[in-house]
Amino acid sequence: MKAIAGKFVPVMITPFDLKAGIDYDAVTELVAFYLEAGVEGFFANCLSSEMFSITEEERLALTRHVVNCVNGRVPVVATGSFGLTVEDKALFTKKIYDVGVDAVIMISGHFAKVAEDDAVLLRNFEKLFALTGDIPLGIYECPAPYKRILGADVFKQLVEFNRLVYHKDTSIKHENVKAKLDVLNAAGSTLEFYDAHTPNALFSMQQGAVGMSSISGNFYPEVLVWMVKNANNPEQQELAKWLQAELTSVDPMIHRAYPMSAKYFLEKRGLPVRTISRAYALHLTPDQKKELDALHDRFLGWCNRLGIQPVGM
């Protein structure tokens, strides 16, 4: 197994106040919570942040606030590929880079329409690269506006531009993840590869991924930090396999009514995060709350077995 000191990078949720405005005080507490949990980066202005439901000004202000709260302790990345044209995307990329992020993330589905082939995507990325100078960039195979999974051949061509420092992968299938990691290993690339799919954590880390960046970190970041730190530890393989099975079994549950499910869970953990969302209009049902209450008890059991002290307890 490849020895890697893994990193966990949470995809930031956006706390809202009673008028559905961004609650910056809660954001401050959330950043402190993640840092205490041991995360080694932040992905701000992402899908979990409800980035499609906030304005351009809010995207910039929210990301700036996260950068200021983090204060250089760990890297911060944020999505920048907004706008109708590649030129628009380049302009917003520059704006969000100027708030102090370490890299700006491009959504793969923003560079070609569903019916367009990879040649279109590659041409648009090449144009974006030319328009953004030396700004460090990354790619996120975001599920919205549609999920554009990069094949290993396209990924290889993008890596060869030497502009990418970050990739958040949503391939899910092991063979697709391994094919991209093989590209990076063959190229000797320093691009940091993060898997977004919690059930892949052990596999991806053992294949050479730098870390994980999954929504499960909005529930129990301490546990994901433990996983990425120990996935390649020969002395912890039994526990790591047990934990992977546990995380996989509950993964469908946390996706239901997300990000409301995460906000409910964080509120239960003592964070000042209200169950208010711009992207999800429905309230959690009593049964959904019972499921999440049971998951909280299960989380405490994981911490006990792993010897983790939950943040705030």
Side-chain angles (χ1 to χ4, degrees):
M1 292 184 294
K2 189 174 180 179
I4 289 179
K7 302 178 183 179
F8 184 75
V9 176
V11 282
M12 292 286 294
I13 65 165
T14 301
F16 292 109
D17 61 26
L18 294 174
K19 294 183 179 180
I22 297 174
D23 186 338
Y24 288 100
D25 289 339
V27 175
T28 299
E29 292 199 36
L30 194 57
V31 167
F33 165 78
Y34 284 123
L35 288 170
E36 189 176 346
V39 307
E40 294 197 35
F42 287 87
F43 191 161
N45 190 43
C46 57
L47 190 59
S48 290
S49 311
E50 305 181 47
M51 63 183 178
F52 292 114
S53 301
I54 60 179
T55 67
E56 177 173 315
E57 292 74 19
E58 287 174 322
R59 291 168 187 153
L60 293 170
L62 177 59
T63 303
R64 182 182 295 108
H65 188 81
V66 172
V67 167
N68 290 340
C69 289
V70 172
N71 194 27
R73 286 173 286 184
V74 296
V76 178
V77 303
T79 308
S81 56
F82 290 97
L84 295 176
T85 67
V86 175
E87 289 81 3
D88 292 336
K89 293 173 175 55
L91 178 60
F92 189 75
T93 292
K94 293 174 183 177
K95 287 181 179 180
I96 204 160
Y97 185 64
D98 284 344
V99 309
V101 297
D102 295 271
V104 184
I105 309 302
M106 304 292 108
I107 293 174
S108 55
H110 281 172
F111 288 84
K113 296 177 182 177
V114 176
E116 291 178 329
D117 62 22
D118 289 330
V120 173
L121 180 142
L122 287 166
R123 283 199 302 271
N124 285 331
F125 264 111
E126 185 173 10
K127 187 174 183 180
L128 186 281
F129 293 155
L131 291 170
T132 52
D134 59 358
I135 295 174
L137 301 174
I139 296 178
Y140 171 23
E141 295 169 337
C142 185
Y146 76 99
K147 186 188 281 195
R148 183 94 181 200
I149 299 296
L150 305 177
D153 56 338
V154 174
F155 185 63
K156 181 175 184 291
Q157 292 177 72
L158 289 169
V159 170
E160 288 172 348
F161 281 104
N162 292 318
R163 286 297 308 283
L164 300 175
V165 300
Y166 195 103
H167 176 70
K168 181 177 175 183
D169 196 85
T170 64
S171 295
I172 296 178
K173 294 183 179 179
H174 283 187
E175 58 268 29
N176 293 349
V177 172
K178 185 178 185 304
K180 289 178 192 170
L181 287 168
D182 286 347
V183 166
L184 296 180
N185 291 331
S189 174
T190 57
L191 181 152
E192 295 195 348
F193 186 104
Y194 295 86
D195 200 321
H197 189 51
T198 301
N200 281 357
L202 191 58
F203 172 84
S204 292
M205 293 301 302
Q206 292 181 349
Q207 293 298 317
V210 166
M212 294 295 296
S213 185
S214 53
I215 72 167
S216 51
N218 287 324
F219 295 78
Y220 22 78
E222 310 95 321
V223 173
L224 274 299
V225 168
W226 188 97
M227 173 60 90
V228 298
K229 296 297 184 188
N230 288 282
N232 287 296
N233 182 350
E235 297 178 2
Q236 296 288 4
Q237 287 306 291
E238 182 179 344
L239 267 182
K241 290 175 183 177
W242 164 78
L243 179 59
Q244 183 63 83
E246 289 288 302
L247 292 171
T248 299
S249 71
V250 301
D251 198 58
M253 178 199 310
I254 67 174
H255 281 79
R256 287 195 283 273
Y258 184 81
M260 293 285 268
S261 55
K263 293 184 177 188
Y264 177 84
F265 201 89
L266 289 170
E267 185 177 35
K268 188 174 181 67
R269 293 199 59 181
L271 276 294
V273 178
R274 300 177 181 87
T275 49
I276 297 174
S277 167
R278 293 190 194 174
Y280 188 84
L282 301 177
H283 292 291
L284 294 174
T285 66
D287 285 344
Q288 286 170 332
K289 289 180 179 179
K290 286 180 182 178
E291 276 192 336
L292 292 167
D293 291 342
L295 177 59
H296 184 266
D297 292 339
R298 197 164 173 178
F299 153 67
L300 294 178
W302 298 340
C303 290
N304 183 60
R305 181 164 178 180
L306 296 170
I308 294 173
Q309 179 64 35
V311 175
M313 296 185 68

